[in-house]
């Protein structure tokens, strides 16, 4: 009599010990994380809008919170999150046209989107401070 399928040794599916971690994998994970973090950013934006619709004191308090060093750090992180997620979406749109799907091209696109998200975030903040006259 043969062994039942429940007791027979079954092959394991490939897992992390099989695959080499690539930039495209890292950016895919980061794209999902930044998408979730943007929910937090929308909450902060809603708080700011609600404060603007209420009293002057409430708006000044919320602006003071966002203007503190911790608030600016959070807003800087949210700026990077938004830009990184947007560039990841553009990368996916390019892939939808069946371009850049080879391993080396996907890795290059992932690295470039990571670098571009940092550069664009810094550029947005430098331009923001320049327009505000704080530079």
């Amino acid at each position: 009599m043969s062994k039942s399928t429940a007791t027979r040794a079954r092959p394991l599916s490939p897992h992390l010990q099989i695959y080499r971690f690539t930039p495209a994998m890292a950016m895919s994970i980061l794209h999902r994380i930044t998408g979730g973090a943007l929910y937090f950013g929308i909450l902060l934006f809603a708080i700011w809008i609600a404060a603007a619709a209420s009293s002057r004191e409430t708006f000044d308090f919320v602006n003071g919170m966002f203007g503190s060093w911790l608030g600016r750090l959070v807003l800087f992180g949210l700026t990077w999150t938004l830009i990184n997620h947007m560039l990841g979406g553009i990368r996916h749109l390019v892939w939808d046209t069946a371009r850049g799907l080879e391993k080396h091209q996907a890795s290059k696109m992932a690295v470039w989107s990571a670098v571009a998200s940092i550069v664009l975030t810094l550029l947005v903040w430098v331009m923001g401070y320049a327009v505000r006259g704080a530079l």
Side-chain angles (χ1 to χ4, degrees):
M1 185 172 246
S2 68
K3 287 185 172 181
S4 70
T5 57
T7 59
R8 199 176 331 152
R10 299 177 57 107
L12 296 175
S13 63
H15 193 55
L16 294 177
Q17 71 267 24
I18 303 294
Y19 296 112
R20 198 180 92 233
F21 201 68
T22 64
M25 290 169 68
M27 291 306 290
S28 175
I29 293 166
L30 204 55
H31 185 76
R32 293 168 191 264
I33 291 169
T34 57
L38 287 174
Y39 281 103
F40 175 70
I42 291 296
L43 177 65
L44 291 180
F45 182 68
I47 289 170
W48 185 71
I49 292 293
S54 66
S55 68
R56 177 74 180 175
E57 294 79 25
T58 305
F59 184 70
D60 288 341
F61 175 75
V62 171
N63 265 350
M65 297 274 296
F66 288 166
S68 69
W69 68 270
L70 182 60
R72 289 182 188 190
L73 183 64
V74 168
L75 292 175
F76 183 83
L78 283 171
T79 305
W80 174 80
T81 299
L82 180 64
I83 291 173
N84 186 37
H85 195 75
M86 177 193 66
L87 292 176
I90 291 171
R91 203 166 35 102
H92 282 271
L93 284 173
V94 170
W95 287 344
D96 286 344
T97 65
R99 292 183 178 92
L101 295 174
E102 290 79 26
K103 280 185 184 180
H104 69 283
Q105 289 176 332
S107 290
K108 279 184 184 179
M109 287 174 68
V111 169
W112 277 108
S113 68
V115 170
S117 69
I118 293 168
V119 170
L120 289 173
T121 300
L122 292 173
L123 186 64
V124 164
W125 275 74
V126 166
M127 286 175 38
Y129 275 109
V131 167
R132 188 171 160 226
L135 284 181

